[in-house]
Amino acid sequence: MSTPRSRTARENPSSRSTLEDPRMPVKAKLAAAWASLMFLYIYVDYLALYKPGFIDTLRGGTVHEFDAGPTFVAASLTLMSVPTLMILLSMTLPARVNRVVNLVVAALYIPVTVFNMAGEPWKYAYFYALSIGLELLIHVFILRSAWTWPRRAASPAVGLDGEALRAPQQV
C-alpha cells in the first residue's frame, strides 16, 4: 500500500527540498562572531595546557616569559574582557556606533592575535598557525560584516527616525 502524495509535491518536487534562508541581522552576525572568537580563545588556552612542561612553568610563576603576577592577570583579563563585551555591544549599540566600534576593535585585535604566536616552539607551529588563522578569519568576517553594513536610503518624506517630515511653513 502506498502513501498518497499531494498533487503539488508531484508537480513540483523541488518545493520540498527548498529551505528558507532568512536574512540574519548584522548585529546577530557580529555577536555570533565575537562569541565564536571567545570559544576559540578558551579552547586554544585550554589545549595549550597539554604541552609538556606548560603547567610546570605556570606553577613556577611564568606565562610565555611573563611574570604571572597581579599585573599579568589584570592585563590578561582586560585583554579578554573587550571581545567578551563585544558580544553584548554588538547586539545593543545603535547601528552607526556599532559599526565603528566593531571596525576599531577587530582591527586592533589582529596584531594581538598574531602576537600570541611569538616565542612559541616550532613543533607547535601547526597548532598556533591553525588557531591564529581561524581567529584572523573571524576578525576578517567581523571587519567585512561591519564594513558592508546595509544602509537604508533616507526618504525625503520620512526622517531617519521614521517620523514624517513636515514642510516648513512660509509666512
Side-chain angles (χ1 to χ4, degrees):
M1 183 182 267
S2 68
T3 307
R5 294 191 314 173
S6 72
R7 241 178 96 207
T8 309
R10 275 184 272 137
E11 291 171 5
N12 189 3
S14 66
S15 67
R16 292 183 305 177
S17 63
T18 304
L19 299 175
E20 182 181 353
D21 193 13
R23 184 178 182 127
M24 180 183 283
V26 177
K27 288 182 172 191
K29 285 182 185 180
L30 292 169
W34 285 109
S36 297
L37 190 65
M38 289 306 302
F39 277 115
L40 197 52
Y41 285 157
I42 291 166
Y43 278 108
V44 168
D45 286 347
Y46 177 75
L47 292 171
L49 296 173
Y50 287 93
K51 295 187 318 190
F54 191 83
I55 293 177
D56 294 332
T57 60
L58 285 176
R59 286 184 183 145
T62 60
V63 178
H64 303 292
E65 308 299 323
F66 296 105
D67 177 36
T71 303
F72 175 81
V73 174
S76 296
L77 179 61
T78 302
L79 198 62
M80 288 300 99
S81 293
V82 174
T84 304
L85 289 173
M86 288 306 297
I87 299 167
L88 173 67
L89 294 176
S90 293
M91 289 300 291
T92 58
L93 287 175
R96 185 173 298 218
V97 175
N98 202 336
R99 179 177 185 259
V100 171
V101 170
N102 271 279
L103 288 170
V104 169
V105 173
L108 290 175
Y109 266 72
I110 288 174
V112 171
T113 298
V114 174
F115 176 75
N116 285 331
M117 193 167 182
E120 292 300 330
W122 277 106
K123 67 181 180 178
Y124 288 98
Y126 177 75
F127 172 74
Y128 285 103
L130 179 61
S131 65
I132 289 170
L134 291 171
E135 290 171 17
L136 289 174
L137 282 174
I138 294 171
H139 284 298
V140 168
F141 176 83
I142 292 167
L143 289 169
R144 185 179 177 280
S145 297
W147 186 261
T148 61
W149 198 301
R151 297 180 185 274
R152 179 180 54 199
S155 168
V158 178
L160 293 176
D161 59 358
E163 294 289 323
L165 296 177
R166 294 190 178 119
Q169 294 181 350
Q170 294 188 2
V171 182

